[in-house]
């Protein structure tokens, strides 16, 4: 996908089923970034853009496809998924990526984002606006406070989720389901 979008390289025959969806993405107007690395750091209680490898980075993320259109002040954020289904998809990563985009590209006013499931040909869409960045940070702040508290106390409460039955290696957990 990256080679097709960024370098116009042909799709190998065994992945030809991807070509139609990728053509739609290449037609989105704006500057395209593949595997765009972004960082965010906290300075004086304010989250700011920083380099991915900055020593004070608070968060790092790599965006599969980012399209920046300065004329419309809109960005498009795409995260490719190779899973067979969107059934257990979590769109929260799109929110976090969007926060970073708004910090790195402060002229952007809207972000259209999506998890694109290449095999099942599904897309889960979320839209974000720059006026909601503080609310988005507040939500992520709650999550990080819980993580910080767990690290400080050494108590990591079990939280059941989709990974319990298939992927989780913690057999001592009451939610482990293998």
């Amino acid at each position: 996908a990256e080679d097709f979008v960024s370098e116009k390289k042909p799709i190998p025959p065994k992945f030809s089923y991807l070509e139609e969806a990728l053509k739609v993405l290449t037609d989105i107007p704006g500057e395209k970034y593949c595997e765009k690395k972004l960082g965010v750091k906290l300075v004086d209680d304010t989250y700011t853009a920083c380099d991915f490898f900055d020593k004070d980075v608070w968060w790092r993320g790599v965006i599969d496809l980012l399209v920046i259109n300065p004329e419309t002040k809109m960005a498009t954020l795409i995260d490719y998924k190779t899973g067979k289904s969107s059934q257990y998809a979590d769109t929260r990563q799109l929110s976090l990526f969007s926060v970073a985009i708004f910090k790195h590209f402060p002229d952007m006013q809207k972000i259209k984002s999506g998890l694109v499931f290449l095999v099942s040909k599904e897309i889960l869409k979320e839209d974000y606006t720059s006026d909601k960045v503080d609310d988005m940070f507040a939500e992520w702040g709650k999550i990080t406070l819980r993580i910080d508290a767990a690290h400080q106390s050494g108590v990591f409460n079990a939280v059941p989720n989709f990974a319990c039955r298939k992927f989780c290696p913690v057999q001592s957990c009451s939610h482990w389901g293998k």
Side-chain angles (χ1 to χ4, degrees):
E2 179 183 352
D3 291 343
F4 182 82
V5 172
S6 66
E7 301 174 30
K8 311 281 190 265
K9 286 186 178 178
I11 299 284
K14 71 179 182 178
F15 298 114
S16 61
Y17 64 92
L18 301 174
E19 192 164 347
E20 185 179 329
L22 293 175
K23 280 184 180 178
V24 170
L25 299 177
T26 60
D27 289 343
I28 298 170
E31 186 171 352
K32 292 170 183 63
Y33 301 90
C34 294
E35 296 295 312
K36 179 68 172 168
K37 293 178 178 166
L38 299 177
V40 175
K41 66 181 177 180
L42 188 59
V43 178
D44 298 326
D45 294 327
T46 302
Y47 293 99
T48 61
C50 72
D51 185 70
F52 185 82
F53 294 106
D54 194 290
K55 76 175 190 108
D56 296 331
V57 68
W58 174 79
W59 173 88
R60 290 181 179 100
V62 180
I63 297 173
D64 290 339
L65 175 61
L66 175 61
V67 182
I68 298 293
N69 189 328
E71 291 177 19
T72 61
K73 298 183 186 251
M74 188 172 81
T76 302
L77 156 64
I78 300 296
D79 192 72
Y80 304 121
K81 299 295 182 189
T82 56
K84 294 179 182 176
S85 166
S86 65
Q87 182 178 0
Y88 299 113
D90 184 353
T91 58
R92 288 183 301 175
Q93 78 180 80
L94 298 174
S95 167
L96 192 52
F97 281 145
S98 293
V99 167
I101 292 167
F102 284 128
K103 293 298 179 181
H104 279 266
F105 299 91
D107 291 340
M108 295 298 105
Q109 295 177 354
K110 183 175 182 178
I111 297 173
K112 287 187 169 198
S113 69
L115 299 177
V116 176
F117 288 79
L118 298 169
V119 175
S120 63
K121 298 182 181 177
E122 298 171 89
I123 183 167
L124 299 181
K125 299 177 183 179
E126 295 286 338
D127 291 349
Y128 302 97
T129 56
S130 59
D131 61 326
K132 301 288 186 199
V133 171
D134 290 339
D135 296 338
M136 293 159 58
F137 262 125
E139 183 62 31
W140 284 102
K142 291 175 194 172
I143 293 168
T144 59
L145 286 175
R146 286 196 318 261
I147 294 168
D148 288 345
H151 277 280
Q152 289 174 5
S153 68
V155 176
F156 296 86
N157 294 318
V159 178
N161 63 59
F162 76 93
C164 295
R165 293 182 189 257
K166 292 187 175 188
F167 308 109
C168 186
V170 183
Q171 296 180 19
S172 61
C173 177
S174 61
H175 303 293
W176 191 72
K178 286 187 179 179

